[in-house]
Amino acid sequence: MSPLSSLSSCIQGYRHVLLAFSGGLDSTVLLHRLVQLRSNQPGLQLRAVHIHHGLSNNADYWAEHCQSLCQSWQVACEVVRVQLAADSELGTEGAARQARYHALSQRQRDDELLLTAQHLNDQCETFLLALKRGSGPAGLAAMPAFRRRQKKAHARPLLQETRRELEEWAQAYQLRWIEDESNQDCRYDRNFLRRQVIPELEARWPHFSAMTARSATLCGEQEALLDELLAPQLAACIQPDGSFDTQSLHAMSQLQRFALLRRWIASQQGDMPSREVLQRLWQEVVLSREDAAPRLRWGKQVIRRYRQRLWLHSAAETAQPESVSWLPPYGLLTLPAGLGSLAISDYGHWQIRAPHVDEHVSVRFRAEGEFYIVGRSGKRAIKKLWQEHGIPPWQRTRTPMIFYNETLIAALGVFITREGQSNADNLHRWRLHWQRSDAGVQA
């Protein structure tokens, strides 16, 4: 199959394509092929995004080169500047990759197919890096040719081609591309493999990269088979709120137990845990005392247990928010600590009475005392209310509570007090809509 036919097959079913365009050899060849394909498929809509990491003195020149080349080929190109996390545990390479994919995900539309230009030699490097880390089949599967996460799809159409083949294409069409000087720096693991290790292996075994890519494909197939076989049990364990019910794990083998936990963590967009982390998760969290509040942190992630269920959070999702005032005319209110926004809306699920003129509205995250709750008789202590509704302790201080002056009106998504109960008069009631940015859910 010709390169253009292979590319056409890869993007089949998509009219909108977003290319991660670094301006290097690989992405330049891929963009050139897409432009050629567009001439035969006029309905094909192309966009390019260049990520400006700011790590090189030449970064501005690279961005200008990408914009100029895209302009000459009539492809819209957006330059996105990213800032690497200063405290990243991933190193410069890992932090740059994380920032790059986050920026691409933010700009990719649901109807667009994201293309990146990794080739067969890149696949070999990724496999060897996973081997160095002691990864299992999921890590050794390296980079999939196609992946869908939620509504967004990502394809790598060049994984079957070597860098030499891409160079031949570029030379045949007299393409111009940029060279990142950091690619010469063997302090970076990938460059060390690319420049010193793999050439020696290829000299001894000429098809080493191709065979390594084949092994990665076989590992990917085994993981896909496990995904299929474990899907029913995984679906039974994962709850609608994303938590994981551990009750069925006790009757399973360690292999099956850990396989399910890995897949749950992946479904929550978490970083893959090592075997040691999984063993600690089982011993220190799942098997801890029933009345304990265990937690396990690795990297920037935290797993907690409450009532035989596990929750996975990033460190940012455990930050304690401060109270905020909500002033007239009560427009969209941005909540602190990444908790999203609050609005009065016809689509809101929580209906409370509107405040009186002399009542100051605030959103707080702590309350003390006993309260009468709509639909319940007798007062309940706030701690009992949280327990009755199954709210884990760490979520209680991240649940927005509406106060009018010093009176608790509602805990959004949980309860409304008698003092906050609305009447049938539409003019004197609010319907509140809480859009949670951390989980993408609404209350």
Side-chain angles (χ1 to χ4, degrees), residues 30-83:
L30 183 50
L31 179 59
H32 181 252
R33 290 178 182 177
L34 286 167
V35 171
Q36 286 193 327
L37 203 61
R38 184 181 60 184
S39 64
N40 297 322
Q41 300 178 18
L44 183 61
Q45 303 293 312
L46 303 179
R47 288 200 307 138
V49 171
H50 174 80
I51 306 300
H52 187 304
H53 297 96
L55 296 175
S56 169
N57 293 330
N58 297 316
D60 290 338
Y61 163 72
W62 296 341
E64 292 172 3
H65 167 86
C66 290
Q67 288 182 310
S68 175
L69 185 59
C70 284
Q71 185 177 13
S72 68
W73 286 347
Q74 298 182 325
V75 175
C77 179
E78 179 185 4
V79 174
V80 179
R81 294 175 180 267
V82 298
Q83 188 170 4

Short mmCIF file of all heavy atoms in Angstrom, two decimals, residues 30-83:
data_model
loop_
_atom_site.label_atom_id
_atom_site.label_comp_id
_atom_site.label_asym_id
_atom_site.label_seq_id
_atom_site.Cartn_x
_atom_site.Cartn_y
_atom_site.Cartn_z
N LEU A 30 4.49 14.28 7.18
CA LEU A 30 3.07 13.95 7.39
C LEU A 30 2.18 15.09 6.91
O LEU A 30 1.15 14.86 6.26
CB LEU A 30 2.82 13.65 8.87
CG LEU A 30 1.40 13.21 9.25
CD1 LEU A 30 0.90 12.08 8.36
CD2 LEU A 30 1.35 12.82 10.72
N LEU A 31 2.56 16.34 7.21
CA LEU A 31 1.76 17.48 6.74
C LEU A 31 1.77 17.54 5.21
O LEU A 31 0.73 17.80 4.58
CB LEU A 31 2.31 18.78 7.32
CG LEU A 31 1.57 20.06 6.90
CD1 LEU A 31 0.10 20.00 7.29
CD2 LEU A 31 2.24 21.29 7.51
N HIS A 32 2.91 17.30 4.59
CA HIS A 32 3.00 17.31 3.13
C HIS A 32 2.06 16.27 2.52
O HIS A 32 1.36 16.54 1.53
CB HIS A 32 4.44 17.06 2.70
CG HIS A 32 4.64 17.07 1.22
ND1 HIS A 32 4.89 15.92 0.50
CD2 HIS A 32 4.62 18.08 0.31
CE1 HIS A 32 5.01 16.22 -0.79
NE2 HIS A 32 4.85 17.53 -0.92
N ARG A 33 2.02 15.10 3.10
CA ARG A 33 1.13 14.05 2.59
C ARG A 33 -0.34 14.43 2.78
O ARG A 33 -1.18 14.16 1.92
CB ARG A 33 1.44 12.73 3.29
CG ARG A 33 2.78 12.13 2.89
CD ARG A 33 3.06 10.85 3.65
NE ARG A 33 4.37 10.30 3.31
CZ ARG A 33 4.88 9.20 3.87
NH1 ARG A 33 4.19 8.56 4.82
NH2 ARG A 33 6.07 8.75 3.50
N LEU A 34 -0.65 15.03 3.92
CA LEU A 34 -2.03 15.47 4.15
C LEU A 34 -2.45 16.51 3.12
O LEU A 34 -3.59 16.48 2.62
CB LEU A 34 -2.17 16.04 5.56
CG LEU A 34 -2.16 15.03 6.72
CD1 LEU A 34 -1.98 15.74 8.05
CD2 LEU A 34 -3.44 14.20 6.72
N VAL A 35 -1.57 17.43 2.80
CA VAL A 35 -1.87 18.45 1.78
C VAL A 35 -2.09 17.79 0.43
O VAL A 35 -3.01 18.16 -0.32
CB VAL A 35 -0.74 19.50 1.73
CG1 VAL A 35 -0.92 20.44 0.55
CG2 VAL A 35 -0.70 20.29 3.04
N GLN A 36 -1.26 16.80 0.09
CA GLN A 36 -1.46 16.08 -1.16
C GLN A 36 -2.80 15.35 -1.16
O GLN A 36 -3.53 15.35 -2.16
CB GLN A 36 -0.32 15.07 -1.38
CG GLN A 36 1.00 15.69 -1.80
CD GLN A 36 1.97 14.64 -2.31
OE1 GLN A 36 1.96 13.50 -1.85
NE2 GLN A 36 2.80 15.03 -3.27
N LEU A 37 -3.12 14.74 -0.03
CA LEU A 37 -4.38 14.00 0.08
C LEU A 37 -5.57 14.94 -0.06
O LEU A 37 -6.60 14.59 -0.67
CB LEU A 37 -4.42 13.29 1.43
CG LEU A 37 -5.33 12.06 1.56
CD1 LEU A 37 -4.91 10.97 0.59
CD2 LEU A 37 -5.26 11.53 3.00
N ARG A 38 -5.44 16.15 0.49
CA ARG A 38 -6.53 17.13 0.41
C ARG A 38 -6.84 17.51 -1.03
O ARG A 38 -8.01 17.80 -1.36
CB ARG A 38 -6.15 18.37 1.21
CG ARG A 38 -7.23 19.44 1.29
CD ARG A 38 -6.77 20.64 2.09
NE ARG A 38 -5.59 21.25 1.50
CZ ARG A 38 -4.93 22.28 2.05
NH1 ARG A 38 -5.33 22.78 3.20
NH2 ARG A 38 -3.88 22.78 1.44
N SER A 39 -5.82 17.52 -1.90
CA SER A 39 -6.08 17.86 -3.30
C SER A 39 -6.99 16.85 -3.97
O SER A 39 -7.70 17.17 -4.93
CB SER A 39 -4.75 17.97 -4.06
OG SER A 39 -4.11 16.70 -4.10
N ASN A 40 -6.99 15.60 -3.47
CA ASN A 40 -7.88 14.57 -4.02
C ASN A 40 -9.16 14.43 -3.21
O ASN A 40 -10.11 13.78 -3.66
CB ASN A 40 -7.15 13.22 -4.04
CG ASN A 40 -5.93 13.24 -4.94
OD1 ASN A 40 -5.95 13.86 -6.00
ND2 ASN A 40 -4.87 12.57 -4.52
N GLN A 41 -9.17 15.01 -2.01
CA GLN A 41 -10.36 14.96 -1.14
C GLN A 41 -10.66 16.38 -0.68
O GLN A 41 -10.31 16.77 0.44
CB GLN A 41 -10.10 14.05 0.06
CG GLN A 41 -9.76 12.61 -0.30
CD GLN A 41 -9.48 11.76 0.94
OE1 GLN A 41 -9.83 12.12 2.07
NE2 GLN A 41 -8.83 10.62 0.73
N PRO A 42 -11.30 17.17 -1.51
CA PRO A 42 -11.52 18.60 -1.20
C PRO A 42 -12.27 18.85 0.11
O PRO A 42 -12.15 19.93 0.69
CB PRO A 42 -12.34 19.09 -2.40
CG PRO A 42 -12.04 18.11 -3.49
CD PRO A 42 -11.83 16.79 -2.83
N GLY A 43 -13.02 17.87 0.58
CA GLY A 43 -13.76 18.06 1.83
C GLY A 43 -12.91 17.93 3.08
O GLY A 43 -13.37 18.20 4.19
N LEU A 44 -11.64 17.53 2.91
CA LEU A 44 -10.76 17.33 4.06
C LEU A 44 -10.33 18.69 4.64
O LEU A 44 -9.79 19.53 3.93
CB LEU A 44 -9.53 16.53 3.62
CG LEU A 44 -8.52 16.16 4.72
CD1 LEU A 44 -9.17 15.28 5.78
CD2 LEU A 44 -7.31 15.45 4.10
N GLN A 45 -10.57 18.88 5.92
CA GLN A 45 -10.23 20.13 6.61
C GLN A 45 -9.01 19.89 7.50
O GLN A 45 -9.04 19.04 8.39
CB GLN A 45 -11.41 20.61 7.47
CG GLN A 45 -12.70 20.81 6.69
CD GLN A 45 -12.59 21.96 5.71
OE1 GLN A 45 -12.12 23.05 6.06
NE2 GLN A 45 -13.02 21.74 4.47
N LEU A 46 -7.94 20.66 7.26
CA LEU A 46 -6.68 20.48 7.98
C LEU A 46 -6.40 21.67 8.90
O LEU A 46 -6.61 22.81 8.53
CB LEU A 46 -5.51 20.33 7.01
CG LEU A 46 -5.58 19.20 5.98
CD1 LEU A 46 -4.36 19.23 5.08
CD2 LEU A 46 -5.70 17.85 6.68
N ARG A 47 -5.90 21.37 10.09
CA ARG A 47 -5.38 22.38 11.01
C ARG A 47 -4.07 21.85 11.59
O ARG A 47 -3.88 20.65 11.72
CB ARG A 47 -6.33 22.64 12.17
CG ARG A 47 -7.58 23.40 11.83
CD ARG A 47 -8.20 24.04 13.08
NE ARG A 47 -8.42 23.08 14.15
CZ ARG A 47 -8.16 23.33 15.44
NH1 ARG A 47 -7.63 24.48 15.81
NH2 ARG A 47 -8.41 22.42 16.38
N ALA A 48 -3.17 22.76 11.94
CA ALA A 48 -1.91 22.38 12.58
C ALA A 48 -1.74 23.18 13.87
O ALA A 48 -2.16 24.33 13.95
CB ALA A 48 -0.74 22.62 11.65
N VAL A 49 -1.14 22.54 14.86
CA VAL A 49 -0.81 23.21 16.12
C VAL A 49 0.67 22.99 16.39
O VAL A 49 1.16 21.85 16.38
CB VAL A 49 -1.64 22.67 17.30
CG1 VAL A 49 -1.11 23.22 18.62
CG2 VAL A 49 -3.10 23.04 17.14
N HIS A 50 1.39 24.09 16.59
CA HIS A 50 2.81 24.02 16.95
C HIS A 50 2.96 24.39 18.42
O HIS A 50 2.52 25.47 18.84
CB HIS A 50 3.64 24.98 16.09
CG HIS A 50 5.08 25.06 16.50
ND1 HIS A 50 5.99 24.11 16.14
CD2 HIS A 50 5.75 25.97 17.28
CE1 HIS A 50 7.18 24.42 16.65
NE2 HIS A 50 7.06 25.55 17.34
N ILE A 51 3.56 23.48 19.20
CA ILE A 51 3.74 23.72 20.63
C ILE A 51 5.10 24.38 20.86
O ILE A 51 6.14 23.82 20.52
CB ILE A 51 3.64 22.41 21.43
CG1 ILE A 51 2.32 21.70 21.12
CG2 ILE A 51 3.76 22.71 22.92
CD1 ILE A 51 1.09 22.49 21.46
N HIS A 52 5.07 25.57 21.43
CA HIS A 52 6.27 26.36 21.71
C HIS A 52 6.64 26.12 23.17
O HIS A 52 6.04 26.69 24.08
CB HIS A 52 5.95 27.84 21.46
CG HIS A 52 7.12 28.77 21.55
ND1 HIS A 52 7.92 28.88 22.66
CD2 HIS A 52 7.62 29.68 20.65
CE1 HIS A 52 8.85 29.79 22.46
NE2 HIS A 52 8.70 30.29 21.24
N HIS A 53 7.65 25.26 23.41
CA HIS A 53 8.04 24.92 24.78
C HIS A 53 8.92 25.98 25.42
O HIS A 53 9.03 26.03 26.65
CB HIS A 53 8.79 23.59 24.80
CG HIS A 53 7.98 22.41 24.34
ND1 HIS A 53 8.03 21.95 23.05
CD2 HIS A 53 7.10 21.63 25.00
CE1 HIS A 53 7.22 20.91 22.93
NE2 HIS A 53 6.65 20.69 24.09
N GLY A 54 9.58 26.79 24.58
CA GLY A 54 10.46 27.81 25.11
C GLY A 54 11.75 27.27 25.70
O GLY A 54 12.43 27.96 26.46
N LEU A 55 12.14 26.04 25.33
CA LEU A 55 13.34 25.43 25.89
C LEU A 55 14.59 25.77 25.09
O LEU A 55 15.70 25.57 25.58
CB LEU A 55 13.17 23.91 25.96
CG LEU A 55 12.07 23.40 26.89
CD1 LEU A 55 11.92 21.89 26.76
CD2 LEU A 55 12.38 23.78 28.33
N SER A 56 14.42 26.22 23.86
CA SER A 56 15.57 26.49 22.99
C SER A 56 15.61 27.97 22.61
O SER A 56 14.55 28.62 22.49
CB SER A 56 15.47 25.63 21.73
OG SER A 56 16.41 26.04 20.76
N ASN A 57 16.80 28.47 22.37
CA ASN A 57 16.94 29.83 21.87
C ASN A 57 16.36 29.97 20.46
O ASN A 57 16.10 31.09 20.00
CB ASN A 57 18.42 30.25 21.87
CG ASN A 57 18.99 30.37 23.27
OD1 ASN A 57 18.25 30.68 24.21
ND2 ASN A 57 20.28 30.11 23.41
N ASN A 58 16.19 28.84 19.79
CA ASN A 58 15.65 28.85 18.42
C ASN A 58 14.14 28.66 18.38
O ASN A 58 13.57 28.55 17.30
CB ASN A 58 16.31 27.74 17.59
CG ASN A 58 17.80 27.95 17.44
OD1 ASN A 58 18.24 29.07 17.17
ND2 ASN A 58 18.58 26.89 17.62
N ALA A 59 13.49 28.60 19.54
CA ALA A 59 12.07 28.26 19.59
C ALA A 59 11.21 29.24 18.79
O ALA A 59 10.26 28.85 18.12
CB ALA A 59 11.59 28.19 21.03
N ASP A 60 11.53 30.53 18.86
CA ASP A 60 10.75 31.52 18.12
C ASP A 60 10.92 31.32 16.61
O ASP A 60 9.95 31.44 15.84
CB ASP A 60 11.17 32.94 18.50
CG ASP A 60 10.74 33.31 19.91
OD1 ASP A 60 9.80 32.68 20.43
OD2 ASP A 60 11.35 34.23 20.49
N TYR A 61 12.14 31.01 16.19
CA TYR A 61 12.39 30.77 14.77
C TYR A 61 11.61 29.55 14.30
O TYR A 61 11.03 29.55 13.20
CB TYR A 61 13.89 30.57 14.51
CG TYR A 61 14.17 29.92 13.18
CD1 TYR A 61 14.01 30.62 11.98
CD2 TYR A 61 14.58 28.58 13.12
CE1 TYR A 61 14.24 30.01 10.76
CE2 TYR A 61 14.81 27.97 11.90
CZ TYR A 61 14.64 28.68 10.72
OH TYR A 61 14.87 28.07 9.52
N TRP A 62 11.59 28.49 15.11
CA TRP A 62 10.84 27.28 14.73
C TRP A 62 9.36 27.60 14.54
O TRP A 62 8.73 27.11 13.60
CB TRP A 62 11.01 26.20 15.79
CG TRP A 62 12.42 25.71 15.96
CD1 TRP A 62 13.44 25.83 15.06
CD2 TRP A 62 12.95 25.03 17.09
NE1 TRP A 62 14.58 25.26 15.56
CE2 TRP A 62 14.33 24.76 16.81
CE3 TRP A 62 12.43 24.62 18.31
CZ2 TRP A 62 15.15 24.10 17.72
CZ3 TRP A 62 13.25 23.96 19.22
CH2 TRP A 62 14.60 23.71 18.92
N ALA A 63 8.81 28.39 15.44
CA ALA A 63 7.39 28.75 15.34
C ALA A 63 7.13 29.53 14.05
O ALA A 63 6.14 29.28 13.34
CB ALA A 63 6.97 29.56 16.56
N GLU A 64 8.03 30.46 13.73
CA GLU A 64 7.87 31.24 12.49
C GLU A 64 7.97 30.34 11.26
O GLU A 64 7.22 30.50 10.30
CB GLU A 64 8.95 32.33 12.43
CG GLU A 64 8.77 33.42 13.48
CD GLU A 64 9.94 34.38 13.52
OE1 GLU A 64 10.87 34.22 12.67
OE2 GLU A 64 9.97 35.27 14.40
N HIS A 65 8.91 29.40 11.29
CA HIS A 65 9.06 28.46 10.18
C HIS A 65 7.78 27.66 9.97
O HIS A 65 7.31 27.50 8.82
CB HIS A 65 10.23 27.50 10.46
CG HIS A 65 10.28 26.32 9.54
ND1 HIS A 65 10.90 26.35 8.31
CD2 HIS A 65 9.76 25.06 9.67
CE1 HIS A 65 10.77 25.18 7.72
NE2 HIS A 65 10.09 24.38 8.53
N CYS A 66 7.21 27.15 11.05
CA CYS A 66 5.98 26.35 10.95
C CYS A 66 4.82 27.17 10.39
O CYS A 66 4.07 26.70 9.52
CB CYS A 66 5.61 25.77 12.32
SG CYS A 66 6.75 24.48 12.89
N GLN A 67 4.67 28.39 10.87
CA GLN A 67 3.60 29.24 10.37
C GLN A 67 3.80 29.58 8.90
O GLN A 67 2.84 29.59 8.12
CB GLN A 67 3.51 30.51 11.22
CG GLN A 67 2.95 30.28 12.62
CD GLN A 67 2.84 31.56 13.41
OE1 GLN A 67 3.79 32.33 13.50
NE2 GLN A 67 1.68 31.79 14.00
N SER A 68 5.05 29.85 8.51
CA SER A 68 5.33 30.19 7.12
C SER A 68 5.05 29.02 6.19
O SER A 68 4.43 29.18 5.13
CB SER A 68 6.79 30.63 6.99
OG SER A 68 7.13 30.86 5.64
N LEU A 69 5.49 27.81 6.59
CA LEU A 69 5.27 26.64 5.75
C LEU A 69 3.78 26.33 5.64
O LEU A 69 3.28 26.03 4.54
CB LEU A 69 6.02 25.44 6.34
CG LEU A 69 5.99 24.15 5.51
CD1 LEU A 69 6.60 24.39 4.13
CD2 LEU A 69 6.72 23.03 6.23
N CYS A 70 3.07 26.42 6.75
CA CYS A 70 1.62 26.16 6.72
C CYS A 70 0.90 27.19 5.84
O CYS A 70 -0.03 26.84 5.11
CB CYS A 70 1.06 26.18 8.14
SG CYS A 70 1.44 24.70 9.10
N GLN A 71 1.33 28.42 5.93
CA GLN A 71 0.71 29.45 5.10
C GLN A 71 0.92 29.15 3.62
O GLN A 71 -0.01 29.31 2.81
CB GLN A 71 1.28 30.81 5.45
CG GLN A 71 0.61 31.98 4.72
CD GLN A 71 1.16 33.33 5.15
OE1 GLN A 71 2.19 33.41 5.82
NE2 GLN A 71 0.47 34.39 4.80
N SER A 72 2.11 28.70 3.26
CA SER A 72 2.38 28.40 1.85
C SER A 72 1.56 27.21 1.37
O SER A 72 1.26 27.10 0.17
CB SER A 72 3.87 28.13 1.65
OG SER A 72 4.26 26.93 2.29
N TRP A 73 1.19 26.33 2.29
CA TRP A 73 0.37 25.15 1.93
C TRP A 73 -1.10 25.36 2.26
O TRP A 73 -1.89 24.42 2.19
CB TRP A 73 0.91 23.92 2.65
CG TRP A 73 2.21 23.40 2.06
CD1 TRP A 73 2.75 23.75 0.87
CD2 TRP A 73 3.10 22.46 2.66
NE1 TRP A 73 3.93 23.07 0.68
CE2 TRP A 73 4.17 22.27 1.76
CE3 TRP A 73 3.10 21.75 3.86
CZ2 TRP A 73 5.23 21.40 2.02
CZ3 TRP A 73 4.15 20.88 4.13
CH2 TRP A 73 5.21 20.71 3.22
N GLN A 74 -1.46 26.55 2.67
CA GLN A 74 -2.85 26.92 2.97
C GLN A 74 -3.45 26.02 4.07
O GLN A 74 -4.54 25.47 3.93
CB GLN A 74 -3.70 26.87 1.70
CG GLN A 74 -3.25 27.87 0.64
CD GLN A 74 -4.12 27.84 -0.60
OE1 GLN A 74 -4.61 26.79 -1.00
NE2 GLN A 74 -4.31 29.00 -1.20
N VAL A 75 -2.69 25.93 5.14
CA VAL A 75 -3.15 25.18 6.32
C VAL A 75 -3.10 26.12 7.52
O VAL A 75 -2.07 26.75 7.77
CB VAL A 75 -2.25 23.96 6.59
CG1 VAL A 75 -2.67 23.26 7.89
CG2 VAL A 75 -2.29 22.97 5.43
N ALA A 76 -4.19 26.24 8.24
CA ALA A 76 -4.22 27.09 9.43
C ALA A 76 -3.27 26.52 10.48
O ALA A 76 -3.28 25.31 10.75
CB ALA A 76 -5.63 27.17 9.99
N CYS A 77 -2.45 27.39 11.06
CA CYS A 77 -1.47 26.94 12.06
C CYS A 77 -1.55 27.83 13.29
O CYS A 77 -1.43 29.05 13.19
CB CYS A 77 -0.06 26.97 11.47
SG CYS A 77 1.23 26.47 12.65
N GLU A 78 -1.75 27.20 14.43
CA GLU A 78 -1.78 27.93 15.71
C GLU A 78 -0.53 27.60 16.50
O GLU A 78 -0.16 26.44 16.65
CB GLU A 78 -3.02 27.53 16.51
CG GLU A 78 -3.11 28.22 17.87
CD GLU A 78 -4.27 27.73 18.71
OE1 GLU A 78 -4.96 26.79 18.27
OE2 GLU A 78 -4.47 28.28 19.81
N VAL A 79 0.14 28.63 17.00
CA VAL A 79 1.29 28.45 17.87
C VAL A 79 0.82 28.58 19.32
O VAL A 79 0.21 29.59 19.69
CB VAL A 79 2.39 29.48 17.58
CG1 VAL A 79 3.53 29.37 18.60
CG2 VAL A 79 2.93 29.29 16.16
N VAL A 80 1.09 27.56 20.11
CA VAL A 80 0.64 27.53 21.50
C VAL A 80 1.87 27.49 22.40
O VAL A 80 2.69 26.58 22.32
CB VAL A 80 -0.25 26.30 21.78
CG1 VAL A 80 -0.68 26.29 23.25
CG2 VAL A 80 -1.46 26.30 20.87
N ARG A 81 2.01 28.49 23.25
CA ARG A 81 3.13 28.54 24.19
C ARG A 81 2.73 27.82 25.48
O ARG A 81 1.66 28.07 26.03
CB ARG A 81 3.51 29.99 24.50
CG ARG A 81 4.06 30.73 23.28
CD ARG A 81 4.32 32.20 23.56
NE ARG A 81 4.84 32.87 22.38
CZ ARG A 81 6.13 33.02 22.11
NH1 ARG A 81 7.04 32.56 22.96
NH2 ARG A 81 6.52 33.63 21.01
N VAL A 82 3.59 26.92 25.93
CA VAL A 82 3.33 26.19 27.17
C VAL A 82 4.47 26.43 28.14
O VAL A 82 5.59 26.77 27.74
CB VAL A 82 3.18 24.67 26.91
CG1 VAL A 82 2.00 24.40 26.00
CG2 VAL A 82 4.46 24.08 26.31
N GLN A 83 4.17 26.27 29.40
CA GLN A 83 5.18 26.43 30.45
C GLN A 83 5.29 25.11 31.19
O GLN A 83 4.28 24.55 31.64
CB GLN A 83 4.80 27.55 31.41
CG GLN A 83 5.88 27.89 32.42
CD GLN A 83 5.56 29.16 33.19
OE1 GLN A 83 4.50 29.74 33.03
NE2 GLN A 83 6.49 29.59 34.03
#
